[in-house]
Amino acid sequence: MSLRNVNVVLVHGAWADGSSWSRVIERLADRHIDAVAAPLPLTSLGDDTAALERTLARIEGPVVLVGHAYAGAVIGSARAANVKALVYIAALAPDEGETVADVFHRGEAHPQAPTLAPDRDGLIWLPREAFAGAFAHHASAREANVLAAIQRPIAAACIGVPVGRPRWKDLPSWFLVAAQDRMIAPDNQRSMSQRMGARVHALDVDHTPSVTAPEAVVEVIVEAALAVSAD
């Protein structure tokens, strides 16, 4: 079945940018699937959703919308009509009336999870050592160093606002549960995916498999794309 008519939009989470999807984009291209990494300002949930909507408005045809971590809340908030499926990669999926912070803090934190707090500007930075210790602990030292060097902070305003009705209530969704995640408790991910009614892939990957296990991420995206293409 051809997937040339299906577009994939990849949305980064906190402490990252679109380059975190580069290996996924390469592998999707090998399968003749067009992908775009949507840039988020990480200044507020409203700003981030608006930025994603601008990217979606530029794309013709059906879209599989993919979000990592915090971006799960963003893809769930987007209302563009061309979005036909959602894919959550170790992501947060707040329900209506919940905040990102509400769902992020559920479950027992991993011993190596970093302590996070906003600075005087209201920005939350990830400690440099946390990239190798929790954010992408399956990455090589060189990869972790690059992730730390390009990190973009997330504003506290992104995580404290209740979301509206999430799109996963109305669209088919997939969820890659990262069983080795040290940032978002795997049991928390399983709980969110179950209440979504998502198609679940539980894999022994870390919090950022787009970098450390890109082929596994691609397989989930392709499954969603095949479902969209078949409609």
Side-chain angles (χ1 to χ4, degrees):
M1 182 177 296
S2 174
L3 294 177
R4 293 179 185 272
N5 65 321
V6 180
N7 302 281
V8 173
V9 174
L10 305 157
V11 191
H12 65 83
W15 311 300
D17 62 17
S19 67
S20 62
W21 294 108
S22 60
R23 294 177 180 175
V24 171
I25 293 168
E26 291 169 354
R27 286 161 175 79
L28 288 172
D30 289 341
R31 301 190 188 209
H32 307 290
I33 300 174
D34 290 331
V36 172
L40 300 185
L42 300 177
T43 48
S44 74
L45 181 58
D47 290 347
D48 293 337
T49 303
L52 174 55
E53 295 278 14
R54 289 192 292 271
T55 295
L56 292 168
R58 298 174 51 239
I59 296 174
E60 296 182 3
V63 170
V64 173
L65 187 53
V66 185
H68 173 241
Y70 159 71
V74 183
I75 68 172
S77 299
R79 297 292 181 255
N82 55 346
V83 176
K84 302 302 180 183
L86 303 173
V87 178
Y88 289 72
I89 306 298
L92 296 166
D95 202 347
E96 187 170 6
E98 294 179 335
T99 69
V100 171
D102 288 338
V103 291
F104 178 73
H105 291 294
R106 286 183 187 149
E108 184 176 354
H110 191 277
Q112 290 179 260
T115 299
L116 302 171
D119 63 14
R120 63 184 181 183
D121 297 314
L123 301 176
I124 303 170
W125 295 83
L126 194 66
R128 190 175 186 89
E129 64 274 10
F131 285 92
F135 189 79
H137 66 278
H138 290 172
S140 68
R142 177 176 292 181
E143 290 166 339
N145 183 61
V146 170
L147 289 169
I150 65 172
Q151 80 153 302
R152 297 173 60 239
I154 184 170
C158 294
I159 65 174
V161 178
V163 305
R165 179 183 173 86
R167 289 293 296 281
W168 50 259
K169 288 182 178 288
D170 306 306
L171 294 173
S173 59
W174 281 255
F175 202 118
L176 191 161
V177 172
Q180 299 295 320
D181 202 320
R182 296 178 179 177
M183 295 291 294
I184 302 172
D187 284 347
N188 186 10
Q189 295 180 42
R190 293 186 186 96
S191 177
M192 287 185 288
S193 66
Q194 288 168 3
R195 76 173 179 180
M196 293 166 63
R199 297 157 178 81
V200 177
H201 293 256
L203 303 172
D204 285 330
V205 296
D206 65 13
H207 179 66
T208 313
S210 60
V211 174
T212 60
E215 192 59 43
V217 174
V218 167
E219 290 302 324
V220 180
I221 295 172
V222 168
E223 184 178 309
L226 284 168
V228 168
S229 181
D231 288 343

